[in-house]
Amino acid sequence: MIREPAARRYAQAAFELAEERGDFDAWLEDLEGLADAFDEPAVARALTSERVSVAERERIIQQAAPGIRPLPWNLVRLLLSRGRIRLLPEVAEALRELVEERQGIVRAVVTTAVELDEEGRRSIAGRLGQLTGKQVLVETQVDESILGGLVARIGDRLIDGSARTKLAALKASLEGRR
């Protein structure tokens, strides 16, 4: 989830450049590859440390992504020069969301009480696709406390069809609080 508004602005600029040139895949490959470097704690510390010179951080990035293309490299250098390189993983994620939105794809995080098999994932993706009018990519989570049913989050939208919520609503209704 993107929390930093500046990350969305950088991603929007990257999206527009990629759209002009028709190279969404190249931008995503470069930025997501660099964002993966942040998974390594030592690299993340070095890239975000004010004690490490910008030139040294550029060298670290070039080692992490030796084939980075010129325009994504310019974005990375801009983030470095403005002291915002920590935003790179969020920029990459926001760019992915923009590209998928353009392609009519949304991601859903679906929480169920039990693990879903592939057929269950496809079924849920199909039903959510009918609701949204888009192709839905489903990521699943298990939370036994929901008892049954499912909870789906698509962007800011929450669909709660869990047994726990239905039981709570029934209890409130029986108590006359509805």
Side-chain angles (χ1 to χ4, degrees):
M1 174 180 250
I2 311 302
R3 289 178 177 75
E4 183 69 44
R8 285 199 188 278
R9 288 192 300 272
Y10 286 113
Q12 183 65 46
F15 177 84
E16 291 171 11
L17 285 170
E19 188 173 41
E20 285 175 16
R21 291 165 178 75
D23 61 355
F24 290 119
D25 292 339
W27 273 88
L28 287 170
E29 181 182 327
D30 286 348
L31 294 184
E32 289 177 339
L34 284 169
D36 288 345
F38 277 81
D39 291 341
E40 181 68 38
V43 173
R45 273 192 307 277
L47 291 177
T48 58
S49 173
E50 294 297 320
R51 293 180 180 168
V52 178
S53 71
V54 171
E56 179 63 17
R57 287 186 271 171
E58 283 183 11
R59 189 188 64 72
I60 292 168
I61 290 170
Q62 287 178 325
Q63 284 180 335
I68 189 169
R69 292 161 187 91
L71 288 175
W73 176 241
N74 286 345
L75 173 60
V76 169
R77 289 178 64 209
L78 179 67
L79 291 171
L80 276 170
S81 70
R82 293 191 174 172
R84 294 186 151 209
I85 194 66
R86 66 177 172 70
L87 294 178
L88 185 62
E90 285 189 64
V91 172
E93 184 181 345
L95 179 60
R96 165 71 59 195
E97 289 174 1
L98 289 168
V99 170
E100 287 176 348
E101 182 180 315
R102 182 178 188 272
Q103 296 170 337
I105 299 170
V106 294
R107 292 183 179 266
V109 177
V110 176
T111 305
T112 57
V114 296
E115 187 71 34
L116 292 174
D117 60 12
E118 190 56 38
E119 183 180 328
R121 282 188 199 94
R122 275 196 303 273
S123 174
I124 289 171
R127 302 235 4 236
L128 293 174
Q130 291 172 343
L131 285 172
T132 63
K134 297 183 180 198
Q135 179 185 349
V136 178
L137 301 177
V138 174
E139 175 189 325
T140 60
Q141 299 176 344
V142 175
D143 179 356
E144 294 173 0
S145 73
I146 69 168
L147 304 176
L150 63 86
V151 176
R153 178 170 296 283
I154 303 171
D156 294 338
R157 187 173 175 191
L158 182 70
I159 302 166
D160 191 343
S162 67
R164 177 180 61 197
T165 300
K166 290 177 182 176
L167 287 171
L170 178 60
K171 180 181 176 191
S173 176
L174 292 173
E175 291 175 344
R177 291 188 288 160
R178 195 153 197 176

